[in-house]
Structure formats: structure tokens, C-alpha cells
Amino acid sequence: MANVSVSVAPARLEEEAAILPLMVEFNRVEGIAWKPEPMTAALRRLLREPELGLALVARDAASPALAGYAIATFGYDLEFAGRDAFVTELFVSPPFRQNGVGRRLVEATAGALRERGARAVHLMVRPENERARALYARLGFTLSPRILMTREL
Ligand SMILES: CC(C)(COP(=O)(O)OP(=O)(O)OC[C@H]1O[C@@H](n2cnc3c(N)ncnc32)[C@H](O)[C@@H]1OP(=O)(O)O)[C@@H](O)C(=O)NCCC(=O)NCCS
């Protein structure tokens, strides 16, 4: 499928419903339990509160469904002397893959984060997700010599 008809832009509030099916699929492939109510509410809040982060969508002129989406959220880290961010979700719908849409979503996300003052962008990727790792490596992401640990609060 040609990517000329795909455009990448900030998600509009009313695109929540169009993002959700892709988000459900993203969580399924990532092995993350989908909790409809709190996760939908968290997406809605992100779309309404830009200080939290950003959501970008890839729209295809010829299709009512979205081609893909990316989510990034802000943090603050003295190591980078200011604001940083995590790309927390990146998903391209299977018919649109291998066409540069993933690359464009990542590049647009990095550009938008830079414009909003972020000085570094991080992401987590499953070690066996070779396709995504190769994409990120080509786009300048390097391995951090640390492991991530999480405690729910
Ligand atoms: C990872 C993912 C986002 C990549 O999206 P994508 O749109 O296929 O990515 P791109 O097209 O930009 O790049 C992928 C490949 O297409 C190739 N490509 C890019 N533009 C191309 C074009 N115009 N024609 C042909 N191939 C192209 C790239 O060289 C790359 O090849 P490689 O992976 O074999 O090295 C997608 O596979 C996906 O959504 N996976 C499931 C969710 C996931 O794993 N998300 C990341 C979690 S951290």
C-alpha cells in the first residue's frame, strides 16, 4: 500500500473512538491486559491535557480507519537538564506496515516533543520485537545501560 495518502498529525479530541481499536490491538500484541474503562479515560485525559504529553495519528485519505498512532508522555530528568518524554505506544495497522508510516510517526513524535521542550525521548521495547528495535535503532535510539523497574502506586 502506498504511503503517499497517509498523513501524520496531532490527534483530535473526536478521534478517541478511532484510536481505541488500534490501542486495544497494541495492548494485545504487547501482552498488556486491556482495561477498557480506566485506559479509555486515560486516553481521553491525554487528548484534553496537552501538558501530559501528546498523541499523533496517521490518517489515510482512502480509509475511515486510522493507519496508526503514537503516544508520548512527559517526564523531567536532571540528567537531561529538563523535560524528557517516553514514547509509550506506537502502532501501525498491519495493512499499512513496511511503508514508512512507523518511521514518520516516530519522527513526528520526536519533532513535536522537541518543540515542546523535551531534551530526550526514551521508549521501552520487548527484546524480541526485532522489527521495532531495528526501526528505533535506525532513528537514533540507543540502548540504555539500565533496566527498568516499576512499582504501582
Ligand atoms: C513496529 C511498527 C510500528 C513498525 O511500523 P511500520 O510502519 O511497518 O514501520 P516502517 O515502515 O517505518 O519501517 C519498517 C520497515 O519498512 C521498511 N520501509 C520503510 N519505508 C518503506 C517503503 N516505502 N517501502 C518498503 N519498505 C519500507 C523499512 O526499511 C523497515 O524495514 P525493516 O523493518 O525490515 O528493517 C509496526 O510493525 C507495529 O505496529 N508493530 C506492532 C506494535 C509494535 O511492535 N509497536 C512497537 C512497540 S515498542
Side-chain angles (χ1 to χ4, degrees):
M1 194 175 292
N3 73 4
V4 284
S5 61
V6 174
S7 59
V8 171
R12 298 187 288 252
L13 281 181
E14 62 272 21
E15 281 174 314
E16 176 190 314
I19 296 171
L20 280 173
L22 277 62
M23 196 166 267
V24 168
E25 188 56 15
F26 169 83
N27 281 277
R28 193 189 63 75
V29 298
E30 288 297 309
I32 300 166
W34 173 250
K35 301 180 197 104
E37 218 172 284
M39 288 178 162
T40 302
L43 170 63
R44 187 169 305 151
R45 184 172 172 199
L46 177 68
L47 293 173
R48 285 171 200 279
E49 297 182 33
E51 66 275 17
L52 293 175
L54 54 91
L56 295 183
V57 291
R59 302 185 190 106
D60 175 43
S63 151
L66 291 175
Y69 77 98
I71 304 280
T73 53
F74 289 117
Y76 188 83
D77 191 337
L78 301 190
E79 176 178 348
F80 300 102
R83 206 175 213 196
D84 65 352
F86 259 92
V87 176
T88 57
E89 301 186 23
L90 172 72
F91 185 81
V92 174
S93 190
F96 294 94
R97 288 183 189 167
Q98 301 287 303
N99 244 315
V101 176
R103 161 188 282 269
R104 288 170 61 196
L105 278 167
V106 174
E107 291 291 52
T109 299
L113 290 171
R114 192 184 286 113
E115 273 176 21
R116 290 172 54 187
R119 301 173 58 90
V121 56
H122 323 279
L123 54 83
M124 288 183 277
V125 56
R126 284 177 290 109
E128 68 275 18
N129 191 349
E130 286 172 13
R131 174 158 288 169
R133 285 183 66 168
L135 174 66
Y136 297 142
R138 278 199 302 279
L139 296 178
F141 287 81
T142 57
L143 279 180
S144 171
R146 292 153 181 170
I147 58 166
L148 180 84
M149 298 175 74
T150 302
R151 173 179 162 181
E152 289 200 27
L153 300 175

